[in-house]
Amino acid sequence: MTRKGTFVCLFAVAVLLFSAVPASLSSGAPEDGTYAGDLLIDYGNGNTDWVAVSAGATVGDTVASSLTAAGVECTLSGTVLSVAGKTSSTVGAADSGGSLSSKGTTGVTVTSTWHVFLWDRAASKWSEASDLSASYSGGPLAVAFYPDGIVPVETPDHRSSWTMVEADAENSANQTADLSGGSGSVEWSNFPKDIIGDYSAILYADGHAIVKYGYPKDGSRTASVISHNAETGEVEWRFDYSCTMYETTSCLIVGQYIYIPSTNGHIYRFEWAVGPGEGNSNVTTFDGMPWDSPTIIPNETDHDVMGRPYGEGASSMVCDSGAIYVKAYNGMLYCFDLDLRLVWSYQMGGRTYFTAPTVTDDYVAAGAYDGTMYILNKYDGSLICKELVYRTVIKDTPYGAVNTPVFVRTGSSYAVFTTYTDGRGMNTVTSGVAVYSFDGTSLTFVEDIRSDEIGSITSYLTRYVGDGFSGVIVAAYNGVYKVGTDGSRECINTYLSKTYCTHSAPTLVNGKTLYFITYSKSILFSMTVEGKVVGSAESPLKKQFSMAPVVVVDGRVLAGNDTGVFTVSGDLPPYTVEEYHAETPLWEKAALLITVILVILAALWAVMRYGLKWEHPYRELHDRIFCYFFGENYTHNTKSKRKLRLVVAVGIILTSVVALASLCIGSETTMGVGEALSAAVSAIQKGGHSLTYEEMLIYNERLPRVIAAFAVGIGLSVAGAVYQAVIKNPLVEPYIMGVSSGAGTFAVAVITFGFTFFGFFSAGSTYLTAASAMVGGLLAFGCTMLLAEKTGGKSINYVLAGIVVGLVFSALQSLMMVEAGNKVSSALSWLYGSFANMGWDNLWLVLIPCLALSMVPLIWAKELNLVLLGEDQARQMGLDAKRFDRIMLILASVLTAFCVAFCGVIGFVGLVIPHLSRMIMGGDHRLMLPTAMAFGGFLMIAADLLSRILMTGYELPVGAITTIIGVPMFAYLLVRRGKSYDA
């Protein structure tokens, strides 16, 4: 190459290098133009913009020219910057007696001004520009409206954030985000074993997803806020604090600080990038005091307020211009500075719970449980106007609640939208959307849209202004609606209704796409503002209730439900109608049902033909069942039959009574019999959707527990009777074969260490603990059988083998418990037995196997009687006792494994109920087994009921309760009939 050619090449390389500089200045900007450039405008209320940089000679000139070029009004006078007509803002006024329990100002003020920041790429953080006249050397910039010392949350590396319950202080649920480049698949999910899931908005800041988990599973009344790495889900820090009930309020991020409202009356603050520190050393509360300061928001003030007592403490919070606005249970509306010093307070006429106030321009608006909407001056908390939106009287008690208002600008005035209810929480019957106009001094009624037209409505609304429309998006039970500023409404989608309805406001992304999560199925949907569903994604979580908004940020969608949270990489996968809403033809359902029945019958025939060696399986089965109930050669004398019928009838009556009591009575809510039955029938008719509070309590919490307890009680009683007959030992119980120890070991491994059975199960599987427990129980049983067979296969061999295997697994279990740390309580809760996690999705895996397997020994009741005579006499009467014993042990162990899998280890029932049955009916298994089934279910339901109600706020171990109930009953019968009783 010639010298001239070399020069030309070097010149070309230099041109390419210099041309790359502007590209580097706008690195991270998405290709679709979501972000225009590298200048961040943070308005101090959750709203942000990224605009292009128009480089000037100085930092100040660059900011001013860039904002002007972007169409944002801006002036720079020396060091004083004015943006969008705002130069500074001061909230607060001279002391007029304001406090946490009385209205007024306190003398504390909050002043915000515009601050300019330069991006320090080496340190990956914003640094405030101390001299706006300094020359500008390139790189991203930020202007932010905050008090001194506060740094913007968004960065050039993470250009979107979610810092408040509905994205901003205006509760608009509007967001800007770039979702290009993702896979559309679930990135990660998290459902802690020791705490119930996400009831509030997930916050997102600089690559961190911060989740408030609402309530512990062990009843310890400790809630948690956990920071996850947004890409991996890895836990970065965890803050635990006391709570009095479910934590449904959302946290708040302002600059580098996170604020956490609690039901215990505190609001906590610390730096979200650092965490709470060891012993919560970084956490402060009101007036900058340590986190455990005795100063709290009082539950009551001197003012009488309306509203059903439900929650306590502070509501969700918003921040505008460095001032935090929050409502409280006592009916107060507070304004705090960023050190949580009270600025002003105002007393409303009703209690408030989780919904946040709204701040727009100079106004703060809030609803209360007196059915009234209040609009205040945001600077000093003085009342501008208030309006009674809705109130009714039920049983001489006034009810009414207004949720969170949303403002939509209409020229020089506003349209104000708010949802309202009759104030009875999840037992709400009447709700609606009210529309008003507001001129800065008073509210004028425009329209009222009731739930009898559009169905039940979410607490929050989504503001939408575009394509010639101004108003809100309303997610209701009957569909998704647009409601305009004049009160006009249009249903834009009916797919997302009823079964697929949502209980949270949709998130509007980039002004064109709405994101929903369905209430009962936790399915994510995306939809255009015209109403066309374009994307969907299944949740990897247990199908539980979702009430928090979908959070959309750059590169991912975050959502949660009652069990935990999950994220989807990029945008949701394309949606097809057939995926969820297409109805399966009736003939397909019938064909599927017939196929399943035929497969089950074929499997049963194979077991009877080749396992039991029956020549004519179904004829033999028919004869045995018929003879058990009607045949004179197998049935009993008239006196025994009458006694059996009487005992079983008594058992059924007792079981029915205690089951009904279990539906009616709870630790916090008790209903009448008629009310409980009505709620159960109504919930079943509704298919479990759009339920009132009472219906949800009965249908989702109490009814599955009652059914599961009934099935497990029967299963353990029958298993215990079979074990005692086969092993011929009155002290034998269902766990003698090591099933409980094996199941407990595997369950503890899953709960405390995330064990996945050598990768066989997914770490995110809903049924991991149950499946692992079943595998562990059957593995222990297999070891017991193998050892017993190798040592002779006699009854004593089974007992000794079970003890040895059980001790080995128990030792492993103890070693894991020592290293379990703060997860010991969760492991102990499972080991002691509980029905707390029973729901309709897993109930069938307990109910059907337990009842089906419990029926089998009835067919072989005669053979169980023969086994008691000894192996030789049984063989003389045509029974291969050794083979029969092996089959019965396998059956009883599988039955026990199903009982243990979902409900944990519940002792005593399988030991004592068979003895009680023998005391009442004698040793004939044709009489004793039905009696055991009748009373086993009764005892278990009663134990579960007592475990829930004996200590308010805590759930006691069911296994302990079964012992407490059973021992006196057993002792009484033993004293009365012990001399004549032969086990």
Side-chain angles (χ1 to χ4, degrees):
M1 182 181 292
T2 65
R3 182 176 297 178
K4 182 178 180 180
T6 302
F7 175 80
V8 171
C9 288
L10 291 174
F11 179 79
V13 170
V15 169
L16 289 173
L17 289 174
F18 279 106
S19 66
V21 172
S24 68
L25 292 178
S26 61
S27 62
E31 296 179 1
D32 66 357
T34 303
Y35 307 114
D38 278 346
L39 174 59
L40 167 66
I41 310 172
D42 187 336
Y43 294 96
N45 64 352
N47 287 318
T48 61
D49 284 319
W50 287 85
V51 301
V53 175
S54 297
T58 67
V59 172
D61 291 340
T62 300
V63 169
S65 61
S66 300
L67 293 177
T68 301
V72 180
E73 180 186 350
C74 175
T75 60
L76 177 62
S77 177
T79 60
V80 178
L81 186 64
S82 176
V83 179
K86 183 183 291 187
T87 302
S88 65
S89 169
T90 298
V91 177
D95 189 353
S96 65
S99 70
L100 293 176
S101 57
S102 60
K103 73 174 185 177
T105 52
T106 65
V108 175
T109 59
V110 181
T111 299
S112 293
T113 57
W114 290 100
H115 298 262
V116 178
F117 298 86
L118 301 171
W119 181 246
D120 185 341
R121 193 167 295 279
S124 292
K125 67 178 184 178
W126 292 113
S127 297
E128 186 165 2
S130 57
D131 183 7
L132 297 185
S133 63
S135 52
Y136 173 63
S137 57
L141 297 159
V143 290
F145 195 71
Y146 286 116
D148 294 342
I150 299 300
V151 179
V153 172
E154 295 182 5
T155 68
D157 298 324
H158 298 278
R159 296 181 177 232
S160 61
S161 61
W162 194 282
T163 58
M164 305 180 201
V165 57
E166 291 292 337
D168 52 44
E170 297 180 308
N171 288 301
S172 69
N174 284 205
Q175 174 71 319
T176 300
D178 172 30
L179 292 173
S180 61
S183 63
S185 60
V186 174
E187 283 185 303
W188 56 269
S189 60
N190 183 67
F191 31 98
K193 300 297 183 183
D194 59 336
I195 195 164
I196 299 174
D198 172 41
Y199 304 118
S200 55
I202 302 169
L203 301 187
Y204 180 88
D206 200 28
H208 306 271
I210 302 175
V211 185
K212 187 179 189 180
Y213 293 94
Y215 203 73
K217 293 180 179 177
D218 60 5
S220 62
R221 298 203 174 193
T222 301
S224 299
V225 177
I226 299 177
S227 177
H228 299 272
N229 181 299
E231 291 188 2
T232 64
E234 178 184 358
V235 174
E236 298 165 326
W237 53 256
R238 173 170 175 161
F239 172 56
D240 296 327
Y241 62 95
S242 64
C243 61
T244 62
M245 60 180 306
Y246 292 100
E247 291 278 336
T248 58
T249 56
S250 297
C251 302
L252 167 71
I253 287 178
V254 184
Q256 57 269 45
Y257 298 106
I258 184 171
Y259 298 83
I260 302 169
S262 72
T263 55
N264 66 31
H266 280 112
I267 299 176
Y268 301 105
R269 183 190 93 148
F270 55 88
E271 293 190 31
W272 52 263
V274 177
E278 185 175 354
N280 297 330
S281 57
N282 298 333
V283 185
T284 59
T285 184
F286 300 114
D287 298 312
M289 298 294 289
W291 73 285
D292 54 357
S293 165
T295 302
I296 61 172
I297 295 174
N299 283 335
E300 304 292 341
T301 66
D302 294 334
H303 193 84
D304 291 332
V305 291
M306 285 177 52
R308 173 183 177 183
Y310 177 70
E312 295 177 349
S315 71
S316 298
M317 303 176 289
V318 296
C319 178
D320 180 89
S321 306
I324 295 172
Y325 299 87
V326 58
K327 302 186 295 182
Y329 169 75
N330 57 22
M332 298 290 282
L333 176 57
Y334 297 115
C335 175
F336 294 97
D337 72 0
L338 298 185
D339 291 321
L340 292 176
R341 296 182 301 169
L342 183 65
V343 177
W344 57 255
S345 57
Y346 177 82
Q347 178 70 65
M348 296 183 290
R351 300 189 184 280
T352 66
Y353 302 114
F354 62 92
T355 57
T358 294
V359 182
T360 298
D361 296 336
D362 297 332
Y363 314 105
V364 54
Y369 271 60
D370 59 348
T372 302
M373 176 168 56
Y374 298 81
I375 298 183
L376 281 64
N377 182 306
K378 78 173 185 181
Y379 300 105
D380 60 10
S382 60
L383 179 67
I384 295 174
C385 64
K386 62 180 181 179
E387 182 75 14
L388 178 61
V389 178
Y390 178 81
R391 189 179 296 171
T392 187
V393 177
I394 302 172
K395 295 181 180 179
D396 298 325
T397 301
Y399 287 92
V402 174
N403 295 311
T404 298
V406 171
F407 287 69
V408 176
R409 295 170 181 84
T410 56
S412 60
S413 61
Y414 305 84
V416 182
F417 302 80
T418 188
T419 62
Y420 64 85
T421 72
D422 56 24
R424 296 193 293 164
M426 299 187 77
N427 196 31
T428 289
V429 175
T430 302
S431 59
V433 179
V435 187
Y436 294 85
S437 65
F438 176 62
D439 60 6
T441 59
S442 62
L443 288 161
T444 302
F445 174 78
V446 175
E447 185 61 278
D448 181 14
I449 307 170
R450 290 287 181 93
S451 55
D452 53 9
E453 176 185 345
I454 65 176
S456 56
I457 304 163
T458 60
S459 298
Y460 291 94
L461 300 167
T462 302
R463 188 174 66 200
Y464 173 54
V465 178
D467 296 328
F469 176 84
S470 291
V472 294
I473 304 292
V474 180
Y477 181 72
N478 292 342
V480 182
Y481 295 80
K482 284 182 180 177
V483 178
T485 56
D486 60 355
S488 61
R489 54 270 201 189
E490 174 193 1
C491 182
I492 61 173
N493 183 280
T494 56
Y495 279 163
L496 302 185
S497 63
K498 299 179 174 65
T499 302
Y500 295 93
C501 73
T502 179
H503 278 209
S504 58
T507 300
L508 178 61
V509 178
N510 301 333
K512 59 184 181 181
T513 308
L514 296 160
Y515 287 78
F516 302 77
I517 185 167
T518 60
Y519 172 60
S520 60
K521 294 181 178 293
S522 299
I523 301 173
L524 284 170
F525 287 102
S526 58
M527 183 180 77
T528 67
V529 290
E530 291 78 26
K532 180 182 179 181
V533 179
V534 293
S536 63
E538 286 271 13
S539 165
L541 305 174
K542 180 181 179 181
K543 298 300 182 288
Q544 279 286 359
F545 303 109
S546 301
M547 292 177 281
V550 178
V551 173
V552 183
V553 293
D554 285 352
R556 57 185 50 88
V557 179
L558 303 93
N561 67 10
D562 282 5
T563 60
V565 296
F566 68 101
T567 68
V568 175
S569 171
D571 209 345
L572 305 184
Y575 164 84
T576 57
V577 175
E578 292 77 13
E579 191 170 3
Y580 300 109
H581 292 97
E583 283 291 330
T584 303
L586 182 61
W587 70 268
E588 287 189 17
K589 295 180 180 179
L592 179 62
L593 179 61
I594 293 172
T595 301
V596 170
I597 293 174
L598 291 176
V599 169
I600 293 174
L601 291 176
L604 183 61
W605 181 89
V607 169
M608 293 186 293
R609 178 66 182 85
Y610 300 106
L612 301 177
K613 307 297 184 182
W614 290 355
E615 289 293 331
H616 305 286
Y618 283 112
R619 184 187 302 170
E620 180 76 14
L621 182 63
H622 168 271
D623 292 343
R624 286 174 175 267
I625 295 174
F626 185 87
C627 288
Y628 184 86
F629 290 102
F630 304 106
E632 291 301 323
N633 53 333
Y634 281 6
T635 53
H636 335 293
N637 60 51
T638 302
K639 182 179 179 181
S640 295
K641 287 192 289 184
R642 289 176 178 174
K643 185 177 181 181
L644 175 62
R645 290 168 185 166
L646 176 62
V647 169
V648 171
V650 170
I652 292 174
I653 292 171
L654 289 175
T655 302
S656 301
V657 170
V658 76
L660 188 58
S662 191
L663 290 179
C664 296
I665 303 172
S667 60
E668 296 181 354
T669 303
T670 299
M671 310 177 199
V673 174
E675 187 180 5
L677 290 177
S678 177
V681 172
S682 177
I684 293 171
Q685 290 175 341
K686 292 179 180 179
H689 304 295
S690 191
L691 305 180
T692 65
Y693 174 73
E694 281 79 6
E695 291 170 351
M696 185 176 295
L697 196 63
I698 295 292
Y699 185 79
N700 293 318
E701 294 187 22
R702 296 180 184 174
L703 187 56
R705 292 182 67 136
V706 170
I707 297 173
F710 175 72
V712 171
I714 289 176
L716 291 178
S717 300
V718 171
V722 170
Y723 276 124
Q724 291 170 9
V726 171
I727 298 178
K728 305 176 188 68
N729 188 322
L731 298 179
V732 166
E733 45 111 18
Y735 306 131
I736 192 64
M737 300 295 285
V739 174
S740 64
S741 299
T745 300
F746 276 65
V748 169
V750 169
I751 294 170
T752 59
F753 298 105
F755 176 58
T756 60
F757 198 55
F758 309 108
F760 185 78
F761 294 104
S762 166
S765 173
T766 306
Y767 303 101
L768 175 58
T769 302
S772 297
M774 184 174 292
V775 170
L778 294 178
L779 178 64
F781 166 70
C783 293
T784 300
M785 287 289 290
L786 181 64
L787 183 59
E789 293 290 336
K790 291 292 184 181
T791 55
K794 296 181 179 180
S795 298
I796 188 64
N797 301 123
Y798 286 109
V799 174
L800 295 176
I803 292 173
V804 169
V805 172
L807 288 173
V808 172
F809 278 99
S810 295
L812 294 174
Q813 187 182 116
S814 299
L815 292 175
M816 287 189 290
M817 293 286 282
V818 171
E819 300 295 328
N822 61 3
K823 295 184 178 180
V824 169
S825 59
S826 298
L828 288 175
S829 177
W830 190 94
L831 289 173
Y832 292 153
S834 173
F835 294 97
N837 293 324
M838 293 307 304
W840 292 108
D841 53 348
N842 56 17
L843 172 63
W844 312 110
L845 298 178
V846 176
L847 177 65
I848 295 175
C850 286
L851 293 185
L853 293 175
S854 296
M855 295 296 175
V856 174
L858 291 175
I859 301 173
W860 280 280
K862 176 189 173 184
E863 282 77 2
L864 287 171
N865 290 337
L866 294 178
V867 164
L868 296 177
L869 300 176
E871 186 175 333
D872 293 337
Q873 292 191 42
R875 186 180 296 109
Q876 292 176 7
M877 301 185 71
L879 177 66
D880 185 346
K882 196 167 186 179
R883 181 166 161 272
F884 178 78
D885 288 351
R886 192 179 294 115
I887 293 174
M888 286 293 103
L889 287 175
I890 294 173
L891 172 73
S893 296
V894 172
L895 174 56
T896 303
F898 273 106
C899 294
V900 167
F902 285 93
C903 307
V905 180
I906 301 174
F908 193 83
V909 177
L911 173 64
V912 173
I913 290 296
H915 285 295
L916 292 174
S917 301
R918 292 191 190 95
M919 289 179 180
I920 296 171
M921 293 303 302
D924 190 336
H925 285 85
R926 293 171 295 181
L927 300 170
M928 187 269 286
L929 284 175
T931 305
M933 295 173 72
F935 288 98
F938 159 72
L939 177 60
M940 193 64 76
I941 296 173
D944 180 57
L945 172 61
L946 291 176
S947 74
R948 291 190 288 113
I949 66 174
L950 283 180
M951 294 184 65
T952 302
Y954 293 86
E955 184 165 318
L956 300 176
V958 176
I961 302 300
T962 56
T963 304
I964 292 173
I965 296 175
V967 165
M969 293 171 56
F970 184 65
Y972 172 77
L973 285 175
L974 194 60
V975 169
R976 288 290 303 271
R977 304 191 58 180
K979 294 180 180 180
S980 60
Y981 174 62
D982 182 7

